[in-house]
Amino acid sequence: MRKKILVADDEPNIVVALEYLLQRAGYEVHIARDGDEALRQVEAHVPDLVLLDVMMPLRSGYEVSRCIRERSDWRHIKIVMLSAKGRDAEVNKGMEAGADLYVTKPFSTRELVEKINGLLAS
Amino acid sequence: MLHGSVIIFTSFAYLGLLFAIAYFADQRADAGRPVIASPYIYSLSLAVYATAWTFYGSVGRAASDGVGFLPIYIGPTLMIALWWVVMRKILRISKQNRITSLADFIASRYGKSALLGGLVTVIAVIGILPYISLQLKAISTSYSILVQYPEIVMPAQLDAEPIRQDTALWVAMILAAFTIAFGTRNLDAAEHHQGMVAAIAFESTVKLLAFLAVGIFVTYGVYDGFGDVFARAAAVPKLHRMMTPLDGVAGGYASWAWLTILSMMAIMFLPRQFQVTVIENLDEKHLNKAIWLFPVYMLAINVFVLPIAFGGLLRFPDGSVDGDTFVLTLPMAEKQELLALLVFIGGLSAATGMVIVETIALSTMVCNDLVMPVLLRLRGLRLNERPDLTRLLLGIRRGAIVLILLLGYLYFKLAGEAYALVSIGLISFAAVAQFAPVVLGGIFWKGGTRAGALCGLLGGFAVWLYTLLLPALARSGWLPIGLLEHGPFGIELLKPLELFGLSGLDQITHAMIWSMLANVGAYVGVSLAVSPSADEHRQASLFVDVFRQTGEAEGARFWRGTASAPDLFNLLARFQGVASADGAFREYAAGKGRRWPDDGLSADAELVHHVEVQLAGAIGSASARVMVASVVKEEALNIDEVREILDEASQVVVYSHRLKQKSHELEAATAELRAANERLKELDRMKDDFVSTVTHELRTPLTSIRAFTQILLEDPEIELEQRKKFLGIITKESERLTRLINQVLDVSKIESGKAEWRAASVDMKEVISDTVTAMSQVFQERHIEVEVRTPDRVSVVSADVDRIIQVMLNLLSNAVKFCEPGKGRIAIVLSEQAGGLRVDVRDNGPGIDPEDQAVIFDKFRQVGDTLTDKPHGSGLGLHISGKIVEHFGGRLWVESSRGRGACFSFTLPTGAGL
Amino acid sequence: MSDFESRGQRFVALCMLGILLFNYPVLALFNVPGSVFGIPVLYAYIFIAWVALIALMAMVAESHGRDRH
């Protein structure tokens, strides 16, 4: 069965790119445009991995991450944070919120897909 | 019938009560728990101003001319408003120099001049005698009227003159005894007569209550309130003119004004007022309350004067009863025995209060400023060698009290009957007003000199004698009346009541004009002409600059010489007694951290000065100076040395002033720096935020571009359609990046002031139609209806046309962004209003929440409908637009509410611009 | 000290006001026949102005309350 990935970002072009990349890599991709929708999608599909933009309307990536980590039945979900902000403080904040990986925009698509593959294989 | 013995017994009982109060207060003062340390007692003691003259005479004056009594109380109210400036200064000077009386104050100011002190004393005594005699007259007259109860007979008709004069003599003697008991317990006149002050405050209360009692009885008992009294009086033709009393009186307003000025001076310079206000003051702060409480007292004691006066005129229409006696005769006529007795006691209070304080003040002056300086100079008496002079001093004061009261009695016998009460009092007021120039000049003008003060006082006093006292004696038959009618030696120009032909004024106004002219003219003229001595120079500086000084020690800077501490101690002991001197030395030594007499004291300038000030408290500053000089070997300072010391002092003052100023400046600079630092920090923080936001905004399109280029690069097998779509995104995101960079540059240019602005005439109609045309493609794509409304003609505005187009485009694309495709409607309205043009761009989008409206003009603030896409744009557009509009003197704002669209408006002033 | 100075200035101003109120020509304005509450106009005016002046003096004197020396 194909692994499921949720892409949550409010920047539509980035979503298009990620969706294309991940589908081509063989994943089932779901989309969310804001924090609330992201949580609804997690509830609905229980993905294996969530790609979270930090600066999203309604609920930031940090918040969504924390919500996911609060549920024991979602403990297995891997979280990758995507952000245009790359300062140490922000990376740390992301990790504290429960992310497995913090990727700074812009990113190399190949590296991102490799890292996701790595996370899901382990 | 009120038997004489009842009245006399009541009077003595009342005096006994007063004495008990005084005794109690003195005991408390000795125990260190003063009863009079209260602003209320202080204010009540000032009411010693209201004498028998007020108590009986105000009604008398009101009965004759209506309002003439009022300036005598309004004047002090006006003067007291100035006390904050004047009296505070006099108080401070007097405390620092242990001033014992008004004469001492003036003598001390003008170089501790014994001559000047003596002159002031003579003027004060002669000037006040009529006033004291007036009190004696009041007591004896009221007694002889009351004793006739229930008959109402004026003493003059009774042919009882000899009896009344005997009464007055008795009254004088009893008051003398009483005053001696009150006022000469302590020697140090600068120490307070606390018992006396307590008694005076009590008397002030009694006389006020008595007067109010009569007032209320007449107004509401006999008549039916104020309106009734006035209405009935107005109905009498003879009294009718008194309803507009300032009519037709020759010089009515001038005489009113002079009376006001006269009483303004009196409240300061009557010896008894100086005594209670300055000498007996325990705390400068009491002045604050007294400043309004004392005027309230004066107001209260005057409220019923007019009803009583009119009541009396109505009750005794035939003029057989003297207006001065209405207060007493009205209750008598109504058969109110007890009230009449109360009135008598009230009048007694008013009279005795005045006599006690006045004679104490005058006796201090006579002793310290007249007798002692003479005695000390008479070497034959060998006064210097007597071990104890305290008894002598007390003896002199007691003698002076008896003498003054006897003189008062004598004046009463000589001139008492020729004048009404008020006129007698005014003669005294005019005498003490002569002190005003030298005292006021003395505390504000360093240029006033001893010679000037002497000449001024002599000139003013001479005119007073000639124009007021002389006519009083002439009218009483003691001088030929022809003197008044034809002038001395028949010289008309010198007629005392029309000096140099000045006629048409009342006597007081006439006398005041000439005496003040002579007084002020001589004081200022001579002061300017004669240069001051070293002593005068020093004292002038100590008085005028009193608020710049630190305390008593200030005066010590001016002394140079040699002395021994035991000599000084013996000197003080001779005048104050050993115990008191011992106390003074112990206190002084304690202040230096030493013990007297065990440790001994160095007889330096400060100790000498301290002894002199102590001594001044007992015998006045002029005598004290003479005495101190007798035991110390003093090197006289010449005027240059005094000047040097003064200059030094003023240098120090200047330096410390500068230092203060510098430190103020430093503080201000520090505060400014701190503020600037805060501002810089804030700017730094804003810059950080800006950079962080900009990089974020730049990274977003970069992310898309990089992602898609990488996809395209690494995956050659993408379908053409997909490829085209990705390339399109790359192009769009590149454009977005470019736009962003341009806008960031724009913002930084505008904010740093480096933006280039071209100003030209701009036709807004054209701008609007151009921009709408430029955007028409977008409108069509999104099916947005656009409506433009412009007036036929509009004024041109001066602005940069490209910038205004930028604003318009920004507002339009903003509107487009928020319009729902297909249903969008945008209205553009151009209108002319006062001073400028206004453009409204209205959309029917989702609207903006009120809380967001304030921030959308900030940099990088984006507010979007979160249910749709994130709004495109950098968040800089509105910010830049706002800046542009502001630059041309206009304003950009938004009006909106959620769900009802938004309307962005801006104005541009016509004719303005850059 | 500035508090002291300003209070002094206010008192001086009050004195000026008083001199104005209780002199020609203001007094002449009220020296007319007629009455206020049964009291002749001039008398009524003088007492009312007097009360007002004292009230103002009380306000200035008590306004700062504490003294600093």
Side-chain angles (χ1 to χ4, degrees):
Chain A
M1 197 187 147
R2 284 200 299 169
K3 297 220 166 172
K4 285 183 274 188
I5 295 183
L6 173 66
V7 175
D9 197 324
D10 61 332
E11 197 60 46
N13 289 335
I14 293 178
V15 173
V16 170
L18 289 172
E19 189 182 14
Y20 177 83
L21 273 171
L22 294 172
Q23 275 174 350
R24 205 186 47 179
Y27 297 106
E28 182 183 327
V29 180
H30 298 276
I31 307 290
R33 304 284 175 88
D34 61 59
D36 282 354
E37 196 186 350
L39 280 179
R40 282 200 300 273
Q41 296 278 25
V42 173
E43 186 85 51
H45 304 289
V46 196
D48 301 283
L49 185 141
V50 182
L51 268 172
L52 276 175
D53 180 31
V54 169
M55 303 260 286
M56 271 189 303
L58 297 183
R59 226 181 255 270
S60 75
Y62 300 133
E63 280 178 75
V64 174
S65 173
R66 272 193 289 272
C67 289
I68 294 172
R69 284 296 174 244
E70 270 168 23
R71 291 265 296 261
S72 53
D73 50 332
W74 289 349
R75 196 164 292 155
H76 68 283
I77 299 178
K78 303 284 181 197
I79 297 175
V80 178
M81 291 263 191
L82 286 177
S83 173
K85 293 191 170 175
R87 287 190 287 204
D88 286 350
E90 285 140 1
V91 176
N92 286 340
K93 201 172 164 191
M95 301 312 278
E96 272 166 30
D100 297 285
L101 189 65
Y102 193 101
V103 177
T104 309
K105 294 178 184 176
F107 44 82
S108 154
T109 48
R110 197 188 329 133
E111 276 174 32
L112 181 68
V113 173
E114 277 167 12
K115 278 178 182 165
I116 289 173
N117 288 341
L119 275 172
L120 288 176
S122 62
Chain B
M1 170 154 175
L2 271 172
H3 197 268
S5 59
V6 175
I7 303 170
I8 290 170
F9 174 77
T10 314
S11 306
F12 273 98
Y14 176 70
L15 289 180
L17 176 63
L18 275 191
F19 194 79
I21 290 171
Y23 185 78
F24 169 71
D26 270 336
Q27 292 296 313
R28 286 281 297 263
D30 290 345
R33 292 178 298 141
V35 283
I36 68 159
S38 134
Y40 301 99
I41 303 277
Y42 181 65
S43 307
L44 276 176
S45 74
L46 298 186
V48 72
Y49 182 72
T51 65
W53 182 31
T54 302
F55 197 84
Y56 294 115
S58 285
V59 169
R61 177 116 186 181
S64 73
D65 69 3
V67 282
F69 69 101
L70 278 171
I72 293 161
Y73 307 94
I74 289 173
T77 307
L78 301 181
M79 190 70 222
I80 285 165
L82 295 182
W83 272 16
W84 179 257
V85 180
V86 179
M87 192 51 86
R88 243 173 18 102
K89 194 163 189 181
I90 293 180
L91 275 174
R92 186 69 64 85
I93 292 169
S94 299
K95 284 192 199 307
Q96 268 182 26
N97 295 281
R98 285 173 76 88
I99 296 295
T100 60
S101 68
L102 183 59
D104 194 23
F105 187 92
I106 295 173
S108 181
R109 160 63 181 82
Y110 296 99
K112 302 189 179 176
S113 159
L115 185 58
L116 198 51
L119 177 64
V120 171
T121 304
V122 169
I123 295 176
V125 170
I126 297 179
I128 295 303
L129 283 182
Y131 208 168
I132 291 178
S133 81
L134 181 150
Q135 310 302 319
L136 302 178
K137 176 180 172 181
I139 297 175
S140 58
T141 307
S142 55
Y143 172 75
S144 27
I145 291 174
L146 187 62
V147 84
Q148 301 294 325
Y149 183 88
E151 299 295 311
I152 295 171
V153 190
M154 291 294 105
Q157 301 161 331
L158 201 64
D159 197 23
E161 200 58 8
I163 304 170
R164 190 155 65 105
Q165 287 185 355
D166 285 351
T167 315
L169 182 60
W170 277 110
V171 170
M173 289 300 94
I174 292 164
L175 285 181
F178 199 59
T179 309
I180 286 170
F182 261 117
T184 53
R185 251 173 34 95
N186 293 325
L187 182 64
D188 185 351
E191 259 167 34
H192 310 281
H193 302 87
Q194 297 204 12
M196 179 196 80
V197 172
I200 295 305
F202 176 73
E203 295 211 287
S204 293
T205 316
V206 171
K207 67 195 177 199
L208 179 62
L209 291 179
F211 197 88
L212 290 178
V214 186
I216 291 166
F217 169 70
V218 172
T219 313
Y220 295 101
V222 181
Y223 296 95
D224 195 16
F226 283 92
D228 186 39
V229 184
F230 286 115
R232 290 196 198 199
V236 179
K238 216 168 54 172
L239 300 183
H240 191 71
R241 62 160 187 91
M242 286 172 66
M243 299 297 139
T244 54
L246 288 165
D247 276 349
V249 185
Y253 292 105
S255 130
W256 171 283
W258 273 106
L259 275 182
T260 309
I261 294 172
L262 207 53
S263 30
M264 286 174 82
M265 300 300 123
I267 195 66
M268 305 266 308
F269 303 121
L270 279 167
R272 69 171 188 283
Q273 292 305 136
F274 197 85
Q275 183 79 28
V276 288
T277 317
V278 180
I279 312 295
E280 306 293 349
N281 174 277
L282 289 183
D283 187 343
E284 261 180 45
K285 283 179 213 139
H286 290 172
L287 210 53
N288 283 8
K289 273 231 160 34
I291 275 179
W292 62 275
L293 272 180
F294 177 44
V296 166
Y297 185 98
M298 289 190 291
L299 181 75
I301 208 164
N302 276 299
V303 165
F304 288 108
V305 167
L306 287 162
I308 297 174
F310 285 123
L313 289 171
L314 290 166
R315 189 72 173 75
F316 311 108
D318 56 351
S320 64
V321 175
D322 187 353
D324 283 345
T325 67
F326 282 168
V327 183
L328 187 60
T329 47
L330 272 173
M332 284 171 70
E334 299 294 333
K335 306 286 180 282
Q336 297 289 327
E337 204 173 335
L338 276 180
L339 185 59
L341 193 60
L342 176 65
V343 167
F344 175 76
I345 294 298
L348 187 67
S349 289
T352 51
M354 181 278 183
V355 170
I356 290 168
V357 185
E358 201 82 83
T359 47
I360 286 175
L362 286 176
S363 73
T364 309
M365 282 159 81
V366 168
C367 170
N368 289 355
D369 296 284
L370 203 62
V371 179
M372 279 313 284
V374 174
L375 291 187
L376 290 173
R377 276 179 176 75
L378 291 178
R379 292 179 190 268
L381 291 176
R382 298 183 174 277
L383 224 49
N384 289 350
E385 290 156 30
R386 287 228 218 149
D388 185 358
L389 291 171
T390 51
R391 296 180 64 83
L392 175 70
L393 284 170
L394 283 178
I396 294 171
R397 284 193 194 160
R398 287 168 184 162
I401 289 171
V402 174
L403 190 72
I404 290 164
L405 279 164
L406 280 178
L407 283 173
Y409 168 71
L410 205 63
Y411 186 91
F412 169 57
K413 269 197 87 152
L414 289 178
E417 287 311 305
Y419 286 89
L421 294 180
V422 164
S423 309
I424 298 179
L426 285 179
I427 291 176
S428 291
F429 272 27
V432 296
Q434 305 305 325
F435 300 136
V438 293
V439 174
L440 296 178
I443 61 172
F444 290 112
W445 181 42
K446 282 189 204 170
T449 66
R450 191 178 80 106
L454 275 173
C455 293
L457 282 177
L458 275 174
F461 183 56
V463 175
W464 176 82
L465 278 175
Y466 191 69
T467 56
L468 283 176
L469 196 64
L470 194 107
L473 294 175
R475 281 195 185 143
S476 313
W478 294 89
L479 291 168
I481 197 79
L483 204 62
L484 300 186
E485 283 160 9
H486 310 296
F489 317 110
I491 304 170
E492 294 270 329
L493 219 53
L494 293 183
K495 281 201 296 191
L497 296 178
E498 291 177 17
L499 201 56
F500 305 119
L502 185 66
S503 60
L505 299 170
D506 69 287
Q507 197 184 346
I508 293 291
T509 307
H510 169 263
M512 281 311 292
I513 289 174
W514 286 121
S515 65
M516 276 296 138
L517 206 63
N519 189 333
V520 175
Y523 172 58
V524 174
V526 175
S527 287
L528 292 176
V530 181
S531 51
S533 71
D535 274 351
E536 291 169 60
H537 207 76
R538 176 197 62 213
Q539 290 300 103
S541 164
L542 286 179
F543 271 52
V544 175
D545 295 335
V546 69
F547 285 121
R548 291 216 228 141
Q549 294 154 11
T550 46
E552 190 189 87
E554 192 76 15
R557 291 190 289 113
F558 297 100
W559 188 83
R560 208 189 293 154
T562 49
S564 88
D567 280 352
L568 289 168
F569 177 80
N570 288 336
L571 177 68
L572 192 58
R574 266 162 50 210
F575 286 94
Q576 286 200 331
V578 176
S580 169
D582 203 44
F585 267 64
R586 273 177 201 283
E587 200 179 307
Y588 175 81
K592 300 257 160 244
R594 310 183 64 116
R595 284 173 48 208
W596 169 267
D598 311 344
D599 293 351
L601 284 169
S602 65
D604 57 4
E606 206 177 329
L607 178 62
V608 172
H609 181 72
H610 183 71
V611 169
E612 189 179 327
V613 169
Q614 289 292 322
L615 217 46
I619 58 174
S621 56
S623 301
R625 183 140 193 85
V626 175
M627 291 320 298
V628 167
S630 72
V631 299
V632 302
K633 232 177 111 221
E634 185 173 356
E635 295 167 35
L637 295 179
N638 64 30
I639 179 96
D640 291 332
E641 286 169 310
V642 169
R643 280 221 179 94
E644 217 169 88
I645 295 172
L646 283 178
D647 286 349
E648 240 170 60
S650 59
Q651 280 296 317
V652 172
V653 170
V654 168
Y655 284 144
S656 84
H657 186 73
R658 273 199 210 144
L659 208 62
K660 219 187 262 171
Q661 208 175 345
K662 282 278 174 232
S663 85
H664 274 312
E665 279 168 18
L666 213 62
E667 257 169 47
T670 313
E672 260 171 49
L673 274 177
R674 199 173 296 131
N677 193 30
E678 285 302 314
R679 174 104 189 101
L680 276 178
K681 273 191 201 159
E682 167 78 11
L683 281 174
D684 198 44
R685 208 173 49 70
M686 279 166 65
K687 194 204 72 188
D688 264 5
D689 286 354
F690 183 70
V691 169
S692 155
T693 317
V694 166
T695 49
H696 179 263
E697 293 300 320
L698 290 173
R699 278 168 196 254
T700 304
L702 262 179
T703 306
S704 302
I705 294 169
R706 180 165 179 191
F708 284 112
T709 38
Q710 217 174 350
I711 290 169
L712 290 171
L713 194 68
E714 286 172 7
D715 192 354
E717 279 146 39
I718 303 174
E719 293 161 31
L720 191 62
E721 203 59 23
Q722 197 81 316
R723 194 179 290 261
K724 263 188 182 167
K725 186 185 164 196
F726 290 173
L727 283 170
I729 290 174
I730 291 173
T731 316
K732 277 232 169 80
E733 292 289 342
S734 307
E735 282 167 5
R736 181 176 162 192
L737 207 51
T738 315
R739 204 163 53 237
L740 188 66
I741 290 166
N742 285 339
Q743 282 183 335
V744 168
L745 288 176
D746 226 15
V747 168
S748 95
K749 260 197 221 161
I750 290 172
E751 288 193 344
S752 64
K754 284 179 192 152
E756 283 174 30
W757 305 94
R758 283 179 299 273
S761 296
V762 176
D763 181 354
M764 270 316 287
K765 271 177 82 169
E766 214 176 290
V767 170
I768 290 171
S769 71
D770 287 357
T771 45
V772 170
T773 312
M775 298 270 300
S776 55
Q777 181 83 26
V778 183
F779 296 144
Q780 272 171 18
E781 273 173 20
R782 301 223 179 183
H783 304 287
I784 291 170
E785 243 178 73
V786 178
E787 179 196 2
V788 179
R789 273 184 301 177
T790 54
D792 293 342
R793 285 180 52 82
V794 288
S795 317
V796 290
V797 291
S798 172
D800 186 330
V801 69
D802 294 339
R803 289 295 190 178
I804 301 301
I805 288 175
Q806 187 182 348
V807 173
M808 271 316 289
L809 285 176
N810 186 276
L811 294 183
L812 287 177
S813 41
N814 235 2
V816 168
K817 233 182 290 175
F818 288 98
C819 279
E820 217 178 313
K823 293 181 198 160
R825 272 214 322 277
I826 295 176
I828 304 157
V829 180
L830 173 64
S831 58
E832 192 144 6
Q833 50 173 221
L837 298 182
R838 168 173 172 165
V839 180
D840 302 306
V841 178
R842 183 183 301 278
D843 64 55
N844 65 344
I848 303 163
D849 286 331
E851 57 267 30
D852 288 331
Q853 290 176 14
V855 297
I856 52 171
F857 297 102
D858 291 353
K859 278 178 281 196
F860 297 113
R861 282 308 182 120
Q862 292 180 331
V863 179
D865 188 329
T866 49
L867 298 175
T868 69
D869 287 347
K870 176 177 176 172
H872 276 270
S874 60
L876 286 171
L878 278 175
H879 178 73
I880 293 172
S881 300
K883 292 277 173 195
I884 292 170
V885 170
E886 270 168 36
H887 180 84
F888 291 110
R891 196 164 76 84
L892 172 66
W893 73 97
V894 66
E895 282 163 19
S896 173
S897 57
R898 177 139 293 268
R900 318 187 73 172
C903 177
F904 283 87
S905 309
F906 68 93
T907 57
L908 282 174
T910 46
L914 301 165
Chain C
M1 260 342 211
S2 69
D3 169 42
F4 272 65
E5 279 161 23
S6 77
R7 223 195 302 189
Q9 281 165 6
R10 275 181 230 167
F11 274 122
V12 171
L14 278 185
C15 179
M16 301 281 186
L17 173 72
I19 289 171
L20 201 74
L21 288 179
F22 294 116
N23 262 305
Y24 188 83
V26 179
L27 272 189
L29 294 179
F30 295 92
N31 190 28
V32 291
S35 61
V36 183
F37 304 118
I39 299 166
V41 177
L42 183 70
Y43 300 131
Y45 163 72
I46 289 175
F47 278 98
I48 289 168
W50 198 359
V51 168
L53 187 65
I54 294 173
L56 287 173
M57 282 164 66
M59 273 167 60
V60 176
E62 304 284 338
S63 61
H64 302 265
R66 301 162 303 284
D67 261 319
R68 291 176 281 113
H69 283 277

